[in-house]
Amino acid sequence: DLFSNDFIDMDKVESEWSKLQQILEKKWKLMEEQIPTLQGRIQADESRINERIKKLDNYWNEKNPEKANSPSEALKILNEANTQLVNVKDDYIRNCKAKELLDMDIGDPNRLNPIEEQIASLREVWNALNNIFSRVESYKDTPFVAVNPEKTKKEIEEALIEINNLPPKIRNYEAAEIV
């Protein structure tokens, strides 16, 4: 005998295959019925995400720290904006992927990149200026009688040299003028 007793009868295989196809067909129909509900949820989620993006845009336009008074103030604003951005960007990208899976019109997954780039650039600027600013600011708390003019002049000249040695990318920001 060519086949051993371990082999399953062809009728049994066909029967099991038919059952599997029926199960898959039922599951597919259930899934098809759920698609409009999922699409509605995704659109509602998109509306909430768009509101959060609008809120982030408003925050950024109002608080943009390019002209902040100090690095600490600017970095605080940048951290808050970045936190909002990270949260909304993850949700936005997830929403775009879900819409793509359900053959819905997807938004631009790079929509938030300009704000992200601005935050990164300004963070680089303010971090570079923070050291210089701290040294200059330390003179505010120094009593006038304790000021050593030669030392002060030397430190201010060093700070100016540091500012002039900053890359043009950083010096082109108004923040460099504030220091």
Side-chain angles (χ1 to χ4, degrees):
D1 192 19
L2 183 62
F3 297 104
S4 69
N5 292 337
D6 294 358
F7 280 88
I8 301 172
D9 186 39
M10 184 64 175
D11 292 338
K12 176 103 170 138
V13 170
E14 286 177 347
S15 170
E16 293 298 318
W17 179 251
S18 176
K19 288 178 188 176
L20 178 62
Q21 285 180 319
Q22 288 173 0
I23 291 170
L24 288 175
E25 193 173 307
K26 286 179 185 177
K27 295 274 186 187
W28 183 255
K29 284 180 184 176
L30 284 172
M31 196 171 75
E32 287 285 319
E33 291 171 3
Q34 294 296 319
I35 286 178
T37 304
L38 289 172
Q39 288 173 331
R41 285 182 182 170
I42 289 170
Q43 286 175 327
D45 192 39
E46 180 183 31
S47 295
R48 286 189 294 276
I49 291 169
N50 284 335
E51 281 300 314
R52 289 172 51 208
I53 290 172
K54 186 176 178 183
K55 185 178 171 184
L56 172 62
D57 282 338
N58 289 339
Y59 178 82
W60 185 247
N61 290 330
E62 289 175 23
K63 303 277 187 173
N64 188 321
E66 191 167 330
K67 300 176 186 177
N69 293 322
S70 71
S72 61
E73 175 189 339
L75 292 169
K76 180 181 175 188
I77 292 168
L78 289 167
N79 286 335
E80 172 61 30
N82 193 58
T83 299
Q84 288 183 33
L85 173 72
V86 167
N87 292 333
V88 77
K89 185 175 182 180
D90 288 345
D91 292 344
Y92 181 72
I93 289 172
R94 244 189 318 270
N95 186 270
C96 287
K97 288 178 182 177
K99 287 172 74 176
E100 183 179 13
L101 289 172
L102 293 172
D103 292 328
M104 299 170 68
D105 291 334
I106 62 169
D108 179 10
N110 300 319
R111 176 180 177 186
L112 296 169
N113 286 358
I115 291 178
E116 186 174 32
E117 290 167 6
Q118 288 176 2
I119 289 172
S121 293
L122 282 171
R123 179 171 280 147
E124 180 182 0
V125 169
W126 283 108
N127 280 328
L129 296 175
N130 192 26
N131 185 31
I132 300 167
F133 191 85
S134 297
R135 287 198 333 240
V136 172
E137 280 289 299
S138 69
Y139 285 103
K140 282 171 95 174
D141 299 328
T142 306
F144 186 73
V145 293
V147 172
N148 179 342
E150 292 84 26
K151 182 180 175 189
T152 303
K153 180 181 176 187
K154 181 182 178 209
E155 287 187 14
I156 290 174
E157 286 172 351
E158 288 172 357
L160 288 171
I161 290 169
E162 270 188 71
I163 291 171
N164 289 330
N165 288 337
L166 291 172
K169 173 184 171 185
I170 292 176
R171 281 196 324 252
N172 287 338
Y173 280 90
E174 251 183 83
E177 300 292 323
I178 291 171
V179 175

